[in-house]
Amino acid sequence: MEHIYNFSAGPAVLPREVLQQARDEMLDWHGSGMSVMEMSHRGKEFMSIAAKTEADLRELAAIPDDYKVLFLSGGASSQFAMVPMNLLRGKKSANYVNTGEWSRKAIKEAKNYCAVNVAASSEDANFTYVPAQDTWKIDPDAAYLHYTPNETIGGVEFNWIPEASRLNADMPLVADMSSSFMSRPMDVSRFGLIYAGAQKNVGPAGLCIVIVQEDLVGTTLPGTPTMFDYKIHVDNDSMYNTPPTYSMYITGLTLEWIKGKGGLEAMEKINAAKADLLYTFLDSTDFYHCPVATPDRSRMNVPFTLKDPALDEEFLKQARARGLIQLKGHRSVGGMRASIYNAMPPEGIKVLVDFMKEFANTHA
Ligand SMILES: *Cc1c(COP(=O)(O)O)cnc(C)c1O
């Protein structure tokens, strides 16, 4: 099979070494005679996998002891409801920052449970920038402040952490970190709750990782389903029901891989260099265009358009022939999108840029 570079936004590329190890352990995990898929989630083998995955995550992200880590199913999208159900704690409203499609979905879902104050929005410019914090209109009586550090579809990323507590000491910051999780160091103590679907940067679909400050857990809206109550999952170490065991295992292998690369500081350096290579090229030509404001460009998802959209199909076809796949942009934005998560090797960006140069030269 020819070598391919997969630029999918998610489910996305995983480290080759991780997939090779999973292959080697597929039929017989560590002499157990079983595949991880066949193990009881309460057996000692899987319990050891779960414990190591959590320990590695805590170590890599320097998660403080008063934070709980949960491994849940239902994807990041379930958190759009679970967050208000658990974090309103008697309050009637929540602050949301609207920077794109994923923010919008979170807002829409939250409106089923509370009043939503949209503290800031970049909808006026088709979600191509991050609104500066001094323009935000925060409701000080709201329960929390929710934002999306990296908008996967628009390719807009916060390079700073909002300061909710400066405006109200009792306002936890909530982040949908799905597409930038573990791509750079994060100061967990600045957040009340972080959630991330695994399938962008750390593992297969089906798993959502939640990191929550323990004092925030325990008060739910009346009628909250058992499975949507953080306290249930905290009290049962994410084993109230069957968690997505195989996804947890692959995530564990990916975290080990990140450790082997030198941890989150090292990942950040690699990711910054990859993104820089691509953006520097995009800015050097008027054949391609990236619509996102320069300081807010995502290191994970790089949207770009061709000068002549009539060439889109030909671009994708020739890219595919070179082994550069899944570059088609999201239908709401058009053009192209290169998702360059942790597991995309720097070589993949070089091959992409070389191809883009050549395509521009032959079609200018
Ligand atoms: C992919 C994504 C989601 C949705 O994740 P699911 O696991 O499909 O529910 C939510 N937020 C962001 C930022 C995403 O990138």
Side-chain angles (χ1 to χ4, degrees):
M1 190 194 69
E2 57 159 346
H3 188 72
I4 61 110
Y5 292 106
N6 177 2
F7 294 92
S8 170
V13 58
L14 285 164
R16 215 167 168 72
E17 298 90 327
V18 164
L19 296 176
Q20 282 162 343
Q21 188 175 345
R23 174 198 62 200
D24 293 346
E25 297 177 344
M26 177 60 77
L27 298 184
D28 179 10
W29 183 83
H30 294 204
S32 66
M34 289 180 281
S35 169
V36 175
M37 274 182 251
E38 304 170 301
M39 291 174 181
S40 162
H41 56 299
R42 302 187 197 283
K44 69 175 188 331
E45 293 90 354
F46 186 74
M47 296 287 267
S48 75
I49 291 171
K52 174 141 196 330
T53 302
E54 178 171 342
D56 284 346
L57 182 63
R58 284 187 173 277
E59 185 189 324
L60 278 168
I63 300 174
D65 289 343
D66 61 334
Y67 283 74
K68 301 291 185 187
V69 175
L70 303 175
F71 297 96
L72 306 180
S73 49
S77 300
S78 292
Q79 297 306 311
F80 296 162
M82 216 163 158
V83 164
M85 284 174 154
N86 286 265
L87 297 196
L88 282 170
R89 296 163 297 139
K91 301 204 174 186
K92 299 281 174 249
S93 65
N95 292 303
Y96 278 73
V97 178
N98 185 11
T99 49
E101 293 297 323
W102 290 112
S103 300
R104 227 168 25 191
K105 284 196 167 159
I107 289 167
K108 182 162 180 270
E109 190 72 11
K111 282 182 176 166
N112 291 326
Y113 306 100
C114 63
V116 168
N117 172 51
V118 177
S121 169
S122 56
E123 195 163 8
D124 57 350
N126 201 22
F127 299 120
T128 51
Y129 72 102
V130 172
Q133 175 142 5
D134 58 14
T135 66
W136 296 15
K137 300 207 164 43
I138 294 192
D139 169 2
D141 297 321
Y144 58 86
L145 170 61
H146 179 285
Y147 81 116
T148 309
N150 184 66
E151 286 282 358
T152 322
I153 293 173
V156 170
E157 184 169 10
F158 284 71
N159 282 300
W160 44 280
I161 300 177
E163 283 188 61
S165 57
R166 202 178 55 190
L167 296 128
N168 181 334
D170 190 29
M171 178 129 18
L173 185 60
V174 177
D176 172 2
M177 236 182 241
S178 295
S179 51
S180 53
F181 193 58
M182 308 304 276
S183 69
R184 52 163 76 194
M186 51 182 171
D187 182 354
V188 175
S189 69
R190 302 269 302 268
F191 298 87
L193 187 145
I194 291 167
Y195 62 94
Q199 74 274 24
K200 309 290 162 63
N201 236 340
V202 291
L207 168 66
C208 183
I209 295 173
V210 175
I211 302 170
V212 58
Q213 211 277 326
E214 62 189 7
D215 292 346
L216 294 175
V217 172
T219 312
T220 52
L221 282 184
T224 295
T226 307
M227 280 293 289
F228 274 55
D229 183 345
Y230 290 131
K231 183 83 163 55
I232 292 286
H233 297 291
V234 165
D235 288 349
N236 292 280
D237 284 330
S238 305
M239 302 266 181
Y240 171 76
N241 72 322
T242 318
T245 52
Y246 199 77
S247 293
M248 288 170 70
Y249 157 70
I250 298 288
T251 297
L253 296 183
T254 305
L255 296 176
E256 266 178 41
W257 177 84
I258 294 173
K259 276 172 78 171
K261 292 268 173 204
L264 297 189
E265 273 91 12
M267 279 320 324
E268 176 174 41
K269 277 209 189 92
I270 298 167
N271 287 328
K274 279 155 48 185
D276 190 49
L277 185 61
L278 187 46
Y279 285 118
T280 301
F281 170 67
L282 284 169
D283 287 342
S284 74
T285 155
D286 56 13
F287 189 85
Y288 301 101
H289 174 67
C290 171
V292 180
T294 306
D296 308 322
R297 288 174 169 180
S298 168
R299 287 180 188 165
M300 297 284 105
N301 311 97
V302 182
F304 61 91
T305 53
L306 275 59
K307 201 159 132 184
D308 177 5
L311 289 171
D312 283 3
E313 280 313 311
E314 184 61 20
F315 178 90
L316 288 167
K317 190 173 139 214
Q318 290 191 19
R320 230 174 356 248
R322 300 286 186 91
L324 303 165
I325 65 165
Q326 310 231 47
L327 282 164
K328 194 176 165 67
H330 190 271
R331 59 190 181 280
S332 66
V333 179
M336 309 296 153
R337 173 177 47 171
S339 294
I340 52 175
Y341 299 118
N342 284 348
M344 171 58 65
E347 184 61 24
I349 317 291
K350 291 198 192 96
V351 176
L352 175 63
V353 168
D354 285 346
F355 163 69
M356 287 171 69
K357 267 183 205 161
E358 193 187 301
F359 189 87
N361 286 339
T362 47
H363 292 83

